[in-house]
Amino acid sequence: MPIARTLQLRFVQLAPGQVELEMPILPSLCFREGQLQATAMYAIADFAAVGAAATLLPDGGFNTTVDGTIKLFAPARGTHLRAIGRVVSHGQQLSVCSAEVHAVDERRQVHCATLLATARNHLPLA
């Protein structure tokens, strides 16, 4: 996906029902120097959560975000973000998924946001 390349998303871990991604905190994505804008935080959380749901689909299947709610509770300052997506409930048509977003630098990792999302599963045609 072009947006994933623009955000420089990198897969760290991929397992059934779980995805871990990292994204650099780029000056072009900040609303003030060194502090990431919320839209970029939502994007990595959405990719991680809905991506985790995609790991449970059969070959040829894909999913799309239906909705998502993010709670931001700490500034995203550091060198990069790490998002860990998990499946909460997986169904044939819909999956509920979540992501924790952490701001990381060389000294610490701060949990700065949590997303709860619903993904629409599109199964391959038989």
Side-chain angles (χ1 to χ4, degrees):
M1 291 182 183
I3 186 75
R5 284 191 299 275
T6 298
L7 295 172
Q8 298 181 28
L9 295 180
R10 182 176 70 86
F11 283 88
V12 175
Q13 182 181 14
L14 188 63
Q18 186 170 326
V19 168
E20 185 174 338
L21 298 172
E22 288 186 347
M23 178 183 88
I25 295 178
L26 304 170
S28 61
L29 300 175
C30 292
F31 77 96
R32 90 170 61 138
E33 188 174 331
Q35 190 169 337
L36 197 65
Q37 204 274 341
T39 304
M41 290 177 62
Y42 184 93
I44 190 173
D46 180 56
F47 268 101
V50 176
T55 65
L56 300 179
L57 297 176
D59 288 345
F62 67 97
N63 59 10
T64 53
T65 303
V66 174
D67 71 356
T69 300
I70 192 165
K71 300 299 181 189
L72 309 168
F73 40 84
R77 294 187 188 112
T79 57
H80 64 282
L81 292 183
R82 179 174 296 127
I84 302 165
R86 292 183 179 86
V87 173
V88 175
S89 174
H90 177 68
Q92 186 167 343
Q93 288 191 325
L94 296 174
S95 293
V96 177
C97 41
S98 67
E100 292 182 1
V101 181
H102 302 265
V104 181
D105 66 22
E106 53 280 341
R107 293 173 295 143
R108 63 188 182 141
Q109 178 172 294
V110 175
H111 186 185
C112 57
T114 296
L115 173 93
L116 184 63
T118 305
R120 168 74 166 93
N121 301 321
H122 303 271
L123 303 177
L125 298 175

